[in-house]
Amino acid sequence: MLPTPIRSIHARRVWDSRGRPTVEAEVTVQGAAGSVPGRGIVPAGASTGSREALELRDGGARFGGLDVQRAIGHVNGEIAAAVHGFDASDQAGLDGLLMALDGTPGKTRLGANATLAVSMAAAHAAAAARGVPLHHHLGGGEAGTAGEGGDLLLPLPLPQIQIFGGGAHAGRRVDIQDFMVVCPGATCFAQAIEWTAEVYRAAGELMRERGSLAGVADEGGWWPAFDTNEAALQALVQAIERAGFVPGAQVAIALDIAASEFGRGGRYTLGLERRQLDSDALIELLLGWLDRYPIVSIEDPLAEDDAQGFARFTRAAGHRVQIVGDDFLVSDAALVREAAALGAANAVLLKPNQRGTLTEVRQAWGAARDAGYAGIVSARSGETEDVTIVHLAVGWRVGQLKVGSFARSERMAKWNEALRLEEAAGARSRFAGASALGRSPAALR
Ligand code: 2PG
Ligand code: MG
């Protein structure tokens, strides 16, 4: 591989989908035919895990304390000086350098938003200098498997797409954060997107007819006024049917409970229903939902500090549903290995800004695969036009992609990018479909 040494780095403040400041880095590398730039923009979460790497914010009064001038200063100063001349094509080496420069496990000195912006921008620049798509560059030659005629197959992910938003993304109107659909019955990515478009539209119509549509939530999902959490599940099944699909086999349900938002120390407070549950009662509630609704994936069913609850839920339901650790595992390889030893969860959510470099997140995916876990590359609730995560899902062959809803351009930019990749691959594209889901969900049988 031709080296692509870093010639310059520049970070600037840009704005995310919530109108908050974030870091964009531009890395320029020396390619064979001259200098080539690459850009990366860092997203931001709202329901964050306490073990995530640090998102460095300035504090103070300006923009609610959320400005990122310190992180930008770290990129333009210390980081730019340290990585000048380094080969951007050596992603692991570059990320190792960023980690060593920061010197803390949680990027608490430079900020994960500073390091990730550079990690992503360098990948884009190196790919562009090599003249290959980002997913190909990131896959490092293993992005596809050899198909007939020796061509590389391109694995398109199964999308998880939000229909109703709740929790921290919708003023806690309902306790559960993401009510999503997946289309295990679709034959290609484009068809999964078409089916979701119909369900999203049907869900909006349904809510309008009932006079219970209050707007859209942070990730573009409908923000409906439900009386109970289960009423949202019922409405989602109705929307799937109204759109003309068979719930379960064709279009199924994925939930992000985001239980760390309403639970701690084994006590969970469902504000909407004015009741308190312990871990076992929450597990019973969720098992009941699994029996009554075509649910194929549940993320963070218990809080991040409830590993034993996670393990009990996995023993009870892990054979029939995908159980995803997000706040629980924070894209961390060591936490994935610990969870696997405990039998807690069977899938990992992968969010680059939870760690601060692409390499660390790739290591978490490696640990997950070794443990037999499934994986889902995920956006954050505060997003931008950056589409890097689509290429991570394809290049690392993760199998699933979660980006938020089916509205607003920071979300649609990602779905549209995956459509382009599928079209470009043509007969070489392989849609992950139901096989990407952890275990073999009962809802599909
Ligand atoms: C999550 C994400 C995306 P946030 O919890 O999975 O839905 O939300 O970015 O706010 O953590
Ligand atoms: Mg989550």
Side-chain angles (χ1 to χ4, degrees):
M1 201 188 297
L2 266 179
T4 53
I6 293 175
R7 287 289 166 247
S8 69
I9 294 194
H10 175 67
R12 63 174 67 87
R13 182 179 66 203
V14 294
W15 303 84
D16 73 12
S17 55
R18 282 191 275 248
R20 295 177 182 170
T22 189
V23 183
E24 173 175 273
E26 205 159 289
V27 168
T28 302
V29 301
Q30 184 65 46
S35 60
V36 183
R39 274 203 300 264
I41 313 179
V42 178
S47 63
T48 52
S50 62
R51 287 171 291 203
E52 291 189 18
L54 178 76
E55 183 180 271
L56 187 63
R57 301 281 187 180
D58 295 351
R62 200 167 155 80
F63 310 130
L66 296 174
D67 209 354
V68 287
Q69 296 302 336
R70 283 157 67 206
I72 288 170
H74 289 153
V75 176
N76 289 336
E78 214 177 314
I79 294 178
V83 306
H84 186 85
F86 199 90
D87 181 8
S89 295
D90 177 7
Q91 188 74 41
L94 176 68
D95 288 341
L97 188 67
L98 293 170
M99 284 181 244
L101 190 64
D102 175 82
T104 73
K107 314 285 181 305
T108 50
R109 206 174 70 75
L110 297 173
N113 41 355
T115 56
L116 181 63
V118 174
S119 181
M120 293 198 302
H124 279 279
R130 294 176 60 203
V132 298
L134 182 61
H135 64 79
H136 180 104
H137 172 67
L138 288 167
E142 43 170 295
T145 53
E148 283 167 38
D151 283 345
L152 289 184
L153 299 179
L154 200 76
L156 269 297
L158 179 71
Q160 285 197 355
I161 308 185
Q162 188 194 60
I163 305 296
F164 303 128
H169 302 162
R172 298 182 202 283
R173 186 58 191 78
V174 291
D175 302 290
I176 309 307
Q177 181 181 287
D178 293 325
F179 295 86
M180 299 172 286
V181 291
V182 295
C183 300
T187 54
C188 63
F189 186 87
Q191 188 175 49
I193 290 294
E194 283 174 16
W195 289 8
T196 305
E198 300 286 19
V199 175
Y200 184 73
R201 231 159 58 91
E205 264 172 29
L206 204 79
M207 305 321 296
R208 253 189 300 275
E209 282 166 20
R210 293 180 183 177
S212 56
L213 186 59
V216 294
D218 275 15
E219 299 189 17
W222 302 116
W223 179 331
F226 293 116
D227 294 331
T228 63
N229 291 293
E230 191 165 348
L233 279 170
Q234 288 161 356
L236 190 45
V237 171
Q238 285 164 11
I240 293 169
E241 285 169 344
R242 177 187 278 231
F245 300 108
V246 181
Q250 278 186 301
V251 180
I253 296 176
L255 300 176
D256 182 359
I257 307 296
S260 305
E261 289 294 306
F262 58 85
R264 178 170 303 204
R267 303 293 308 168
Y268 296 88
T269 306
L270 294 178
L272 178 61
E273 299 165 22
R274 291 196 179 76
R275 52 183 179 139
Q276 275 227 340
L277 307 174
D278 62 14
S279 301
D280 286 331
L282 179 58
I283 288 171
E284 278 310 306
L285 177 80
L286 297 177
L287 291 175
W289 288 357
L290 289 185
D291 288 339
R292 293 193 294 284
Y293 301 96
I295 297 168
V296 294
S297 181
I298 299 196
E299 182 178 326
D300 285 345
L302 286 303
E304 61 180 7
D305 67 351
D306 195 353
Q308 292 302 333
F310 244 101
R312 285 203 299 284
F313 185 63
T314 306
R315 276 198 295 280
H319 59 288
R320 61 167 167 153
V321 70
Q322 173 170 270
I323 301 172
V324 188
D326 170 17
D327 296 343
F328 179 52
L329 300 175
V330 292
S331 309
D332 183 83
L335 289 178
V336 169
R337 282 190 283 269
E338 266 177 45
L342 207 63
N346 58 28
V348 63
L349 204 75
L350 300 165
K351 293 169 163 170
N353 80 324
Q354 286 182 327
R355 298 269 52 87
T357 63
L358 295 183
T359 298
E360 286 163 280
V361 178
R362 186 175 192 168
Q363 286 165 349
W365 172 226
R369 258 188 323 205
D370 289 347
Y373 279 31
I376 307 164
V377 174
S378 172
R380 301 306 307 241
S381 48
E383 267 295 335
T384 70
E385 65 272 27
D386 188 288
V387 296
T388 308
I389 56 167
V390 179
H391 291 261
L392 299 184
V394 172
W396 293 348
R397 307 173 60 75
V398 178
Q400 298 174 75
L401 179 64
K402 174 187 173 191
V403 158
S405 178
F406 203 70
R408 308 185 13 156
S409 286
E410 80 277 7
R411 314 289 151 191
M412 305 318 288
K414 277 97 167 155
W415 304 133
N416 291 341
E417 179 74 353
L419 288 173
R420 284 181 208 110
L421 295 185
E422 184 170 67
E423 189 191 75
R428 293 185 302 108
S429 72
R430 288 293 176 276
F431 179 54
S435 67
L437 288 161
R439 300 301 187 270
S440 172
L444 295 179
R445 277 183 229 129

